[in-house]
Amino acid sequence: MLYNTFMIIAAISDTHGELPPLDNKDCSAAFLCGDIFDAYDHGVLVQQEFVHTSLIPWIKSFQIPTYIVGGNHDILFERYGPPEELLEVATYLQDDSTTIESDGDTFKVWGSPWTHKIGKWAFDVDEMVRGNRNIVIDPEGDKHRIKYSYAQEGISLSKQFAMIPEDTDILITHSPPYGIKDSRGSGAVESVDIADVPFLPNEAHWGSPSLRKKVAETKPTVHLFGHSHNSGIVEKEGTLFANVSYLDDDYEIADSSWTYIEIEGKTASAV
């Protein structure tokens, strides 16, 4: 990897059915960091229709490579995976990697959808496996008809985030790293030092301690995420962290739309 390349990337998360235009035409790639679907209607058929009538045309309008991870509202992706038609216009990542080729350089991208368990949502798991959970069936059929027991499969945040490769350049997750733009209430600190990251999460933060520690270890150039509707950029521990949420805590459009980031070699900065 030469890392002589200068490029601009665009990132957004937690759009919840909104489709803001990509207005920076100099971008080389776009990243959608989860919670693409409506925040209130989680029906699979509704989400399938949205993919075909809205999401695919939106992505086509970018005219650049697009990379997607799921989020806790993206029930369709959890239960059935992305439709084939979506895979024709975008790259979907679920604990998987791909590369971006630019001017002779190769940038490695890793994507993961998992978030800390807060209820019966998609891709939500415990930080550590604490024992088996039974399958839960929702007889109302309004939200999450079947909640699979991830603990029975040995899935946890610590296990999934341990898979992030050492040579990752651009990391895309739905979960925030613990202590970086992940506040869950007015008393939370916006940027916690790595030495103060606990073993398990707490009620003041949406983020994952396992993810934060893995990022500090691997030091990707950029870490893109959402989930906490608390957009903003923090440079810390050799990585540019970008919470790219589009909506605020009231599910209203935040001040910013897309987040644009310049990458030059192994450094990154907000545009």
Side-chain angles (χ1 to χ4, degrees), residues 20 22 27 51 61 66 75-76 81 102 156-157 159 167 169 171-172 209 226 242 246:
L22 184 67
C27 292
V51 167
S61 74
T66 301
I75 310 300
L76 172 65
S102 182
S156 66
L157 293 185
K159 181 177 179 180
D167 58 347
D169 298 302
L171 176 62
I172 327 166
Y246 180 59

Side-chain angles (χ1 to χ4, degrees), residues 228-241:
S228 171
H229 295 184
N230 184 22
S231 61
I233 289 178
V234 173
E235 293 186 57
K236 207 171 184 69
E237 298 147 11
T239 295
L240 186 142
F241 295 93

Side-chain angles (χ1 to χ4, degrees), residues 94-150:
Q94 184 171 321
D95 301 320
D96 200 2
S97 65
T98 188
T99 57
I100 298 176
E101 305 289 337
S102 182
D103 293 337
D105 284 335
T106 301
F107 293 86
K108 188 167 187 176
V109 180
W110 180 270
S112 183
W114 307 96
T115 53
H116 185 257
K117 181 173 172 55
I118 55 174
K120 294 188 292 181
W121 297 97
F123 303 113
D124 67 330
V125 296
D126 292 321
E127 189 76 22
M128 312 288 291
V129 174
R130 300 180 180 181
N132 293 342
R133 289 185 286 155
N134 293 325
I135 291 176
V136 176
I137 299 177
D138 179 1
E140 299 298 327
D142 181 44
K143 287 189 177 179
H144 322 303
R145 274 67 53 197
I146 299 175
K147 180 63 192 175
Y148 294 98
S149 177
Y150 286 124

